[in-house]
Amino acid sequence: MKTIIFIFFLLLLLSFCHNQVFKFTKNQLNDLPLFDKQSGNLPVSYYGHLPIRDGDEKLFYWYFPCQNQKSNQLIIILNSGPGCSFTELLFSGNGIFSIEANPNQSVKRIINNPNSFHQFSNVLYIDSPLGTGFSIPKIYSEDYIKNLYPENANMKSGKFPGISQYVISDLESSMVEFLKNYPENTNLHFYTLGYTSKYISYIDFTKYFTNVNVTLILGNPFLQPTLQYASLTKFSYVTGLSMYRQVIDNNKLYENCLTNLEKSTFTIDTCHQIIENILKNSGNVSPFDFRELQNNEYQIRNQIIINYVNNYLTNIFLPNLNTIYHCSKRINELFHLEYYLDMSREIIPKLLQENNIPILLFNEQFHLTSNLFGMNEFIRQLINWKYQIIFNQLISSFFNVNNKIGGRFKSIGGLTHFILYNTLYKEGMERNPNQPIIDNNNNGIIPLDMISTKFEMMKRWVTKQSNKEEMNTNGRDVLCEGNTKCHTENHLNDKNLCPNQCSNRGTCESLVCKCKPNYFDDDCSVGRFTYTLNELHNVNFTDLYIYGRDTIIFEIDILEKTSLLDVYLEVNRLSNVGTPFLFLNVSLFEDKLSSRELKAIAMKQIGYNILNGYTSTRSEGQLKQLHDFFTNYQIFPYFNTSHEPVKVIDAQNIDIKRNQRHTISIVIYNAADVPLSFSMNLKVQPAIGRVNITGILFALSCVAILVIIFEVALIYQRNLNRDTFITPKLSPQLQQQQKGKRNKSGGRGGTITTSTAYVNGDEVIANHQQRQSLLLDDRFVDNVEDDEEGDEIELIEKKKYK
């Protein structure tokens, strides 16, 4: 009986949990365990839950109003992982507090951090995704958490965002609820790291944040894994973490990594193995700062923080839960594939140009995973951003903090890229300055590296957002100290600063290219022409120019409708340097890709290899093997990526649709970081050197069908003639004959015996009479065959003479 009652109440409790609806909660924290008041007063803060998914679930938040004055600026801090708690950022770096630990790694005291962001802004920490840190789902089981993020179409097709869509939606609804209860925050600054920087860019800011201003701060962002993974080998080589033999091995791994990513079959043994090899070969350094050892400073620091959280904070925030994890293994494994999927190249340009959202990208000098090489290449390939080429030609400026160089930055059109230097390193220190917590000599806390630089960077970024119009149109001095201008303006007047120097197809006026007729795009790099086949017999383009690693595109429409084409393309390098790679495709006029799409695919095909130092494109080997790369991008079946000064593509008998208009697309990519001058010769003519088997088979099939139709009509006509002309004449005589025979045989059908008859001396064969005996029966009259009709007429005629 007791067991039944227990089960009843257990089911009742589970039903209550299942039907529970969460609401917004707000609690003030009045005491923090081990906080040392000698460092100052305990900051005012509020914690609680933000309802999501119509109140079925909730996210945990911890909110700190600005300490020194009232502020309408809010910095929203989200940790990476995926699945790592914000507590790491709250108790280290520019967090609200700092931890001082004893030599045995126990916590000695908690003190205020003078370099915390809440000195000049309100700060909000959120544990996201659901299942991370203090954001515990109402049923804490592996199956339930997995069901919170069901598979969708994007995930199955390997397209980002997959299940990250649920994280984005949760964050949108939680922020709407937060702003409803804290309406003083009218300027939002999303501060994100790593993977989080990728999904934060997909928030629908125009829908959910219409009454507030928004900026994005993306720290060491991992946005384009297929591109950024290509940078790992080169970055580790130039920083001394890998030797040349390891470069070769890692390049091979990268090929497998890229292949699997394109097939959406990522495994831990491919892409991540590149980082594992680098860390192993370098003595197991930290992937987030390769000056420290992963098993020493990095892990010790995080272990001290999570021990403090579990020993003291869980009793305050989650009394019924004893333990949370620095990074949730369940969430990390669930989102592992998401981590390695590329963000669309359209997102950043859209945020900058359509949504007018300023973006600050920053890279730490010694960060391995999201290193500076990969981010520079990512920015260089933002081809849909109008400032893309100008940005990559800007001279960066020093970022000064207290007369020390804290890094370099450049900014234009709402995008700022910042490189954080090591500002606090002292030559000859026995221990790395990135070990801030353990106090072996009782000399106080050694601050984390780059803390003061980040503090000043964020302070300038946040407090200079008052003039949003200036930020979006220029904003080049947003990180300059005070009201000064720290960017040099002299090079902006350089006539050669125009994008790609206008490809020698236009003139530069106030940083804008004025293109010649038939040339388009920001850098006049797209030529559009229409020719007849006769004109295409021999066309020359002279004095062409590409400044650095970029492209020139030709879209040539053919006026006539044709079937087969022979295309001969020759490019002659005129300069002593430069490496033009050629790509050619012929498509239907209405199916041709835009110049931006062609440029994007060309850069995607060979951008990785240039970064890794390969001598040719991946597509050479893949074309022979029908690799998945060309399954996805079948637009450049003809190419030449050799390193010869004269490049030729001789494409014979190109298969195209009959009697349709076509477009020839040509992409020329300079695969070297030097200017390239060249000329191009194009010859196009109808192909006559090969029989079109498909056309012949189609013609033969048509002839066969016509013959069959003719035979059927002929048979039908013969039957019609018999019924019309022969059968009516035979009917009376046959009926008379049938009647006479019946009288002879007693009115019953019978068989004529074999005999010989003489009619006027003519002999009639009795065998014929035997066959005709079938006519004596009414049942066979209607089935007389065509070949018997002539004989029947002859017999009747002979009877007449008799």
Side-chain angles (χ1 to χ4, degrees):
M1 185 67 181
K2 291 182 179 180
T3 304
I4 296 175
I5 295 174
F6 173 77
I7 294 174
F8 173 76
F9 279 105
L10 179 61
L11 293 174
L12 185 65
L13 178 62
L14 291 175
S15 176
F16 171 78
C17 292
H18 181 74
N19 296 320
Q20 183 180 4
V21 176
F22 296 104
K23 296 182 179 180
F24 171 82
T25 60
K26 176 181 179 180
N27 306 284
Q28 184 171 350
L29 185 69
N30 297 316
D31 184 41
L32 185 67
L34 301 183
F35 178 75
D36 190 350
K37 294 184 179 180
Q38 292 183 358
S39 67
N41 296 326
L42 180 68
V44 177
S45 66
Y46 305 92
Y47 68 91
H49 294 104
L50 302 169
I52 58 175
R53 307 193 184 195
D54 297 324
D56 285 342
E57 294 293 347
K58 60 189 184 301
L59 295 180
F60 180 81
Y61 77 93
W62 198 349
Y63 175 58
F64 294 84
C66 182
Q67 185 172 8
N68 298 323
Q69 71 275 338
K70 289 186 177 181
S71 174
N72 61 3
Q73 309 286 342
L74 176 65
I75 300 175
I76 304 105
I77 297 180
L78 300 164
N79 202 1
S80 183
C84 292
S85 174
F86 66 68
T87 53
E88 174 189 2
L89 303 178
L90 190 142
F91 290 102
S92 66
N94 295 99
I96 307 299
F97 306 106
S98 295
I99 294 180
E100 182 180 341
N102 296 308
N104 64 358
Q105 300 182 17
S106 63
V107 177
K108 183 177 181 180
R109 60 174 183 161
I110 306 296
I111 63 174
N112 285 320
N113 181 5
N115 288 309
S116 168
F117 294 155
H118 89 302
Q119 303 291 334
F120 55 85
S121 172
N122 306 326
V123 179
L124 172 66
Y125 293 87
I126 298 179
D127 266 338
S128 176
L130 178 62
T132 299
F134 290 108
S135 294
I136 303 298
K138 58 185 178 184
I139 299 178
Y140 196 60
S141 69
E142 185 173 352
D143 290 338
Y144 183 80
I145 292 177
K146 189 174 182 180
N147 290 333
L148 292 173
Y149 305 101
E151 287 190 359
N152 52 30
N154 277 4
M155 183 180 181
K156 294 178 180 179
S157 62
K159 181 181 178 182
F160 189 86
I163 58 174
S164 294
Q165 289 179 341
Y166 308 113
V167 183
I168 297 168
S169 178
D170 291 345
L171 196 57
E172 289 170 341
S173 57
S174 64
M175 281 305 303
V176 169
E177 189 68 27
F178 178 85
L179 294 176
K180 187 188 303 181
N181 291 275
Y182 296 94
E184 66 272 16
N185 297 286
T186 57
N187 295 280
L188 310 184
H189 311 278
F190 288 89
Y191 181 94
T192 62
L193 301 174
Y195 156 78
T196 311
S197 299
K198 181 162 55 177
Y199 77 71
I200 201 71
S201 305
Y202 283 82
I203 286 181
D204 192 344
F205 296 102
T206 59
K207 178 179 179 180
Y208 294 98
F209 304 102
T210 54
N211 298 322
V212 295
N213 299 321
V214 176
T215 74
L216 300 181
I217 302 98
L218 313 181
N220 301 311
F222 204 60
L223 307 177
Q224 201 85 27
T226 53
L227 180 62
Q228 290 176 268
Y229 260 108
S231 68
L232 288 173
T233 300
K234 189 170 185 178
F235 183 75
S236 65
Y237 184 55
V238 299
T239 53
L241 298 176
S242 298
M243 297 298 102
Y244 184 70
R245 179 178 177 180
Q246 295 151 6
V247 170
I248 302 301
D249 293 339
N250 286 336
N251 280 343
K252 186 186 301 183
L253 284 173
Y254 173 71
E255 290 288 337
N256 296 332
C257 165
L258 193 58
T259 299
N260 288 350
L261 285 173
E262 288 164 357
K263 292 181 177 180
S264 301
T265 57
F266 167 79
T267 63
I268 195 68
D269 297 327
T270 52
C271 300
H272 198 67
Q273 190 61 43
I274 302 174
I275 297 179
E276 293 296 330
N277 281 1
I278 294 173
L279 298 181
K280 179 181 178 180
N281 294 331
S282 60
N284 201 27
V285 299
S286 168
F288 312 116
D289 188 330
F290 60 75
R291 296 168 299 167
E292 67 179 8
L293 295 178
Q294 186 173 10
N295 293 328
N296 262 337
E297 292 90 346
Y298 174 71
Q299 290 189 358
I300 291 173
R301 182 169 62 249
N302 287 328
Q303 192 59 51
I304 291 173
I305 293 174
I306 202 64
N307 286 344
Y308 173 76
V309 170
N310 285 322
N311 291 335
Y312 299 99
L313 296 188
T314 52
N315 293 330
I316 301 174
F317 301 143
L318 295 171
N320 297 324
L321 190 69
N322 296 324
T323 303
I324 69 167
Y325 299 95
H326 168 228
C327 293
S328 169
K329 184 179 179 181
R330 293 175 179 175
I331 296 298
N332 188 273
E333 291 178 350
L334 197 60
F335 285 83
H336 210 68
L337 178 59
E338 299 279 298
Y339 182 81
Y340 294 96
L341 296 178
D342 283 351
M343 180 181 76
S344 170
R345 295 170 186 254
E346 308 293 328
I347 295 298
I348 296 297
K350 179 182 178 181
L351 292 172
L352 291 169
Q353 296 170 170
E354 297 182 20
N355 298 345
N356 293 323
I357 295 178
I359 299 175
L360 169 62
L361 302 172
F362 72 82
N363 288 94
E364 296 173 348
Q365 184 181 5
F366 302 104
H367 200 287
L368 173 62
T369 307
S370 302
N371 60 72
L372 181 61
F373 273 86
M375 186 48 54
N376 280 340
E377 190 65 13
F378 171 78
I379 296 174
R380 193 185 71 82
Q381 295 193 21
L382 290 176
I383 59 176
N384 290 323
W385 181 40
K386 63 181 179 181
Y387 289 102
Q388 176 246 346
I389 297 179
I390 294 178
F391 187 90
N392 288 289
Q393 296 178 203
L394 288 176
I395 298 175
S396 61
S397 300
F398 284 119
F399 183 85
N400 295 310
V401 182
N402 299 325
N403 296 321
K404 294 181 180 179
I405 298 176
R408 297 187 70 93
F409 76 98
K410 56 183 178 179
S411 179
I412 198 170
L415 179 65
T416 301
H417 186 209
F418 187 92
I419 306 167
L420 285 156
Y421 287 169
N422 173 20
T423 58
L424 298 179
Y425 183 73
K426 296 180 180 179
E427 185 177 357
M429 290 185 66
E430 294 182 2
R431 300 293 296 175
N432 190 293
N434 226 10
Q435 186 179 347
I437 306 172
I438 302 176
D439 179 22
N440 293 317
N441 301 316
N442 295 319
N443 293 325
I445 299 173
I446 302 174
L448 269 173
D449 192 18
M450 303 179 183
I451 287 181
S452 60
T453 304
K454 283 184 186 177
F455 175 85
E456 193 63 27
M457 174 191 76
M458 286 297 296
K459 183 179 179 180
R460 296 179 191 180
W461 177 265
V462 169
T463 56
K464 287 190 177 184
Q465 299 297 324
S466 57
N467 191 340
K468 187 177 180 182
E469 182 179 354
E470 180 182 349
M471 279 294 302
N472 292 331
T473 55
N474 192 344
R476 302 196 61 236
D477 299 308
V478 64
L479 294 184
C480 297
E481 193 170 7
N483 295 322
T484 62
K485 289 183 176 290
C486 54
H487 269 97
T488 175
E489 303 289 343
N490 294 333
H491 70 296
L492 291 178
N493 299 322
D494 187 350
K495 66 178 182 179
N496 294 323
L497 190 60
C498 269
N500 204 18
Q501 296 189 14
C502 302
S503 307
N504 277 4
R505 289 296 180 267
T507 57
C508 184
E509 300 178 10
S510 301
L511 302 181
V512 177
C513 287
K514 302 295 183 181
C515 301
K516 295 179 180 179
N518 296 322
Y519 288 92
F520 305 90
D521 216 346
D522 295 338
D523 57 350
C524 307
S525 63
V526 178
R528 297 191 178 105
F529 300 89
T530 300
Y531 290 110
T532 63
L533 279 173
N534 187 51
E535 292 171 330
L536 281 173
H537 184 70
N538 193 353
V539 179
N540 290 296
F541 299 90
T542 60
D543 196 26
L544 298 173
Y545 183 83
I546 302 178
Y547 185 81
R549 273 192 288 151
D550 218 307
T551 58
I552 278 186
I553 295 174
F554 289 90
E555 299 170 0
I556 299 173
D557 298 331
I558 304 174
L559 280 176
E560 294 94 341
K561 296 179 180 180
T562 185
S563 55
L564 294 175
L565 284 178
D566 289 340
V567 179
Y568 177 87
L569 176 66
E570 180 179 309
V571 170
N572 288 277
R573 189 183 70 191
L574 303 178
S575 55
N576 294 326
V577 292
T579 306
F581 284 177
L582 313 186
F583 298 88
L584 183 144
N585 181 51
V586 180
S587 62
L588 287 174
F589 178 79
E590 59 269 20
D591 293 339
K592 66 180 179 181
L593 296 175
S594 69
S595 58
R596 293 288 181 175
E597 290 172 317
L598 291 169
K599 182 178 289 191
I601 297 301
M603 296 180 76
K604 181 178 178 63
Q605 285 192 4
I606 63 178
Y608 313 119
N609 310 86
I610 302 304
L611 196 59
N612 258 343
Y614 295 168
T615 58
S616 63
T617 67
R618 302 174 64 247
S619 54
E620 288 183 79
Q622 292 174 342
L623 184 63
K624 299 175 183 178
Q625 302 172 11
L626 297 178
H627 194 276
D628 193 63
F629 192 76
F630 266 82
T631 302
N632 293 333
Y633 306 104
Q634 293 183 6
I635 62 168
F636 293 130
Y638 309 100
F639 56 90
N640 187 326
T641 57
S642 67
H643 285 254
E644 299 299 324
V646 179
K647 307 286 182 67
V648 173
I649 292 179
D650 191 2
Q652 302 290 325
N653 302 307
I654 298 177
D655 288 320
I656 55 180
K657 291 190 176 181
R658 293 176 58 84
N659 300 320
Q660 298 287 332
R661 285 193 60 187
H662 288 80
T663 297
I664 299 174
S665 300
I666 300 170
V667 178
I668 302 172
Y669 184 100
N670 182 17
D673 293 307
V674 292
L676 168 68
S677 297
F678 62 98
S679 62
M680 184 177 77
N681 175 249
L682 177 66
K683 299 177 181 178
V684 181
Q685 59 184 4
I688 57 176
R690 187 182 64 181
V691 177
N692 192 329
I693 301 300
T694 303
I696 293 176
L697 291 176
F698 176 77
L700 291 176
S701 300
C702 292
V703 172
I705 292 172
L706 290 174
V707 169
I708 292 173
I709 294 173
F710 178 77
E711 288 293 336
V712 171
L714 185 60
I715 293 172
Y716 174 78
Q717 187 62 43
R718 290 176 60 191
N719 291 335
L720 184 63
N721 291 341
R722 184 191 66 181
D723 295 340
T724 304
F725 301 105
I726 298 176
T727 303
K729 293 181 180 181
L730 287 175
S731 295
Q733 291 85 346
L734 291 176
Q735 291 175 2
Q736 183 65 33
Q737 181 183 6
Q738 183 182 11
K739 183 177 180 181
K741 295 297 180 181
R742 282 179 178 174
N743 292 335
K744 228 174 188 183
S745 59
R748 296 173 58 186
T751 302
I752 299 177
T753 59
T754 304
S755 61
T756 304
Y758 295 90
V759 181
N760 291 336
D762 294 329
E763 187 180 41
V764 179
I765 303 301
N767 288 339
H768 176 73
Q769 293 178 352
Q770 186 177 7
R771 289 187 316 171
Q772 287 296 114
S773 65
L774 295 175
L775 296 174
L776 300 178
D777 197 324
D778 291 336
R779 292 172 299 174
F780 299 98
V781 171
D782 295 331
N783 296 323
V784 180
E785 299 294 334
D786 291 344
D787 59 345
E788 297 173 332
E789 293 174 354
D791 294 333
E792 292 167 357
I793 295 171
E794 181 181 358
L795 178 61
I796 292 171
E797 292 297 324
K798 290 185 178 293
K799 286 182 179 181
K800 284 182 180 181
Y801 289 111
K802 184 176 179 180

